[in-house]
Amino acid sequence: MNCARPSSLAWHSSKVPPPVVTGNSRCPAKQLARAEQVNPLHQLQVRRCHPGCRGRGHRLLVATASAAAGSAGSQGGPSALKLQLLALLQAHYLPLLLVTALLLGAVWPSLGVAAAKLQIPALTTFGIFVVQGLQLRRKEAAAALSASGAIAYGLAAILLLTPLLGLAAVQLPLQPPALALGLGVFCCMPTALSSGVTFTQQLGGNVSLALLLTISSNILGIFTMPFILPHILAAAPITHAAASAGGLAATSAAGPVLEPLPLLVQLVQTILLPTLLGATIRGVVPGAAAFIDARRKLMSYVAAALLAMVPWMQISKTASQQVPLDVLGVAGAAAAGMAIHAVFLAVNFTSCRLLRIGGDGCAGRDVRRAVILVSSVKTLPVAVTVCSKLAPVLGDSMVGTAVVPCVLAHLSQIVFDSVLVSHWIAADTAAAYGGKQCAD
């Protein structure tokens, strides 16, 4: 069989768009092999081998539309449309749920207010972190313990370096000012519970390292956040204005008072203990780990639904109090959230290159990418939980408004990283076609 250059590759259906390649490997064949998992309308057929894969038993797989899907698409049949809609929902269920929660809380706040009165927020927060504990794969995370330099930098970036940007975020001239306060709180959070690991896995990076950084930073963050947040609040102009007007429950001459130790106790109770409960069930109950791993998609749906309920109730309470939220302010908060994430990525990318995190070669590149992705994202469940714990200090209306930029920043980092990962995958494929060992 003769090998052909990528210029000779073509998609054989104009009706069904080519799949998004979400894998990574030294060989492009493995990259394209993952495309079928993204779009059920595509099937993979062996077309020709690739010169970069000679001698290793690989052949380049070119995704072409299946005959059935192509026929249905050309006829405009409902089956193809249903499959496309299902693929869209499966790929973007979390952003869709969060946007729906925001709109529902803003348009119909009475339902969310009624749910909040039934102590549902406490139950949903408990459920979020129990589910997270059930999915912790400690053995895989332990496999990355040898990458001590990457671990040290990753934890320092997540828990110390990126929170410093919160001091600048709270100074942003957003209206209402509580939007800027929410961004400042979001900067102090540990890494995202799932998106960093998911993108690392799609990219083919060091997943064990990504898991280790996620687990350890979320546990350590419970003990670092209570001592960082008071400085962020003290730098926020809105808290000083509210303090001088007597609008905060606990104030001092320097601004609002946030006692670290009581907040630490609350975070241990609401985040650490439920997570440990889930992890214990996974590790102790016979067959629990296999049962959960076989239903990881279902577990992610449950966690996403529970997560969406928390901002829904917070936004409902804010809307019921008729706190003004103009479109320009919300758009500005979304743009600021994306800009903050871009700064995180730039700082971590530059630092990893200068410090030579991971060393040379493709293995070093995989380590750096894992550190960059995981160290640049922030967790939404913890952010919403922390905001709710600040209500006695800031007031319910300010907390409800502060949740909005947290949700927007979380959505923006998902969009931003999906584009970045696609760019990296394309660069890897081009490097493999060009005969290079790997692309950085």
Side-chain angles (χ1 to χ4, degrees):
M1 179 181 291
N2 294 326
C3 295
R5 283 290 178 181
S7 58
S8 63
L9 305 183
W11 298 105
H12 293 271
S13 173
S14 60
K15 299 297 182 181
V16 182
V20 179
V21 179
T22 58
N24 182 43
S25 171
R26 307 294 183 269
C27 179
K30 291 185 178 180
Q31 296 177 356
L32 293 173
R34 295 175 61 90
E36 189 178 12
Q37 301 176 9
V38 179
N39 193 336
L41 293 179
H42 293 93
Q43 291 180 348
L44 298 177
Q45 299 175 357
V46 176
R47 299 292 299 171
R48 51 178 63 85
C49 69
H50 182 268
C53 304
R54 282 195 187 120
R56 291 186 291 173
H58 296 307
R59 286 175 294 176
L60 178 62
L61 301 180
V62 179
T64 61
S66 66
S71 174
S74 62
Q75 299 174 2
S79 59
L81 181 60
K82 289 180 180 179
L83 287 174
Q84 288 177 329
L85 181 60
L86 179 61
L88 176 66
L89 293 175
Q90 290 177 341
H92 306 290
Y93 61 92
L94 180 55
L96 291 173
L97 278 174
L98 291 174
V99 171
T100 302
L102 289 178
L103 295 176
L104 183 61
V107 175
W108 191 14
S110 59
L111 184 61
V113 172
K117 292 180 179 178
L118 297 176
Q119 301 301 315
I120 292 180
L123 294 176
T124 54
T125 302
F126 179 81
I128 288 170
F129 294 106
V130 169
V131 171
Q132 184 61 35
L134 290 171
Q135 298 181 84
L136 289 182
R137 291 168 286 177
R138 292 170 292 174
K139 291 183 179 179
E140 293 183 28
L145 288 175
S146 59
S148 57
I151 295 171
Y153 172 79
L155 292 177
I158 294 168
L159 302 176
L160 299 175
L161 184 60
T162 52
L164 293 177
L165 194 57
L167 296 172
V170 296
Q171 305 290 336
L172 293 173
L174 298 175
Q175 293 297 328
L179 294 173
L181 182 66
L183 288 174
V185 172
F186 191 72
C187 289
C188 298
M189 297 300 107
T191 189
L193 298 172
S194 60
S195 61
V197 176
T198 300
F199 282 125
T200 302
Q201 188 172 27
Q202 289 178 350
L203 185 60
N206 193 313
V207 179
S208 298
L209 177 60
L211 279 168
L212 178 61
L213 289 175
T214 299
I215 295 172
S216 56
S217 67
N218 275 274
I219 294 175
L220 293 175
I222 296 173
F223 301 95
T224 60
M225 282 186 293
F227 299 94
I228 295 175
L229 280 172
H231 299 285
I232 302 298
L233 291 178
I238 183 177
T239 53
H240 289 283
S244 62
L248 295 179
T251 63
S252 70
V257 175
L258 179 62
E259 295 295 338
L261 292 181
L263 179 60
L264 173 61
V265 173
Q266 291 178 342
L267 293 180
V268 168
Q269 292 174 343
T270 57
I271 298 176
L272 182 59
L273 293 183
T275 302
L276 292 178
L277 174 61
T280 301
I281 293 174
R282 177 185 176 90
V284 174
V285 177
F291 179 86
I292 293 165
D293 289 342
R295 294 161 178 82
R296 295 194 67 83
K297 199 66 176 178
L298 176 61
M299 299 294 290
S300 65
Y301 291 154
V302 173
L306 292 172
L307 173 58
M309 291 180 68
V310 179
W312 164 58
M313 289 179 280
Q314 289 286 354
I315 298 301
S316 297
K317 290 193 292 184
T318 301
S320 67
Q321 296 172 359
Q322 298 182 344
V323 177
L325 273 178
D326 63 277
V327 177
L328 290 179
V330 173
M338 184 166 288
I340 289 172
H341 183 56
V343 172
F344 287 166
L345 286 170
V347 169
N348 288 320
F349 181 84
T350 303
S351 299
C352 285
R353 292 296 297 270
L354 292 177
L355 297 174
R356 302 182 62 82
I357 298 295
D360 299 323
C362 293
R365 176 205 61 186
D366 294 342
V367 168
R368 283 191 297 276
R369 287 178 173 179
V371 173
I372 292 168
L373 288 172
V374 175
S375 301
S376 302
V377 294
K378 298 295 182 179
T379 174
L380 179 61
V382 179
V384 174
T385 302
V386 170
C387 285
S388 65
K389 298 304 177 184
L390 299 179
V393 176
L394 302 178
D396 287 334
S397 62
M398 191 183 296
V399 165
T401 305
V403 167
V404 174
C406 294
V407 175
L408 296 176
H410 181 77
L411 293 174
S412 66
Q413 69 186 16
I414 291 176
V415 174
F416 202 113
D417 285 355
S418 65
V419 174
L420 176 62
V421 168
S422 297
H423 169 74
W424 271 339
I425 290 174
D428 291 344
T429 305
Y433 284 149
K436 296 181 181 179
Q437 185 178 6
C438 62
D440 203 345

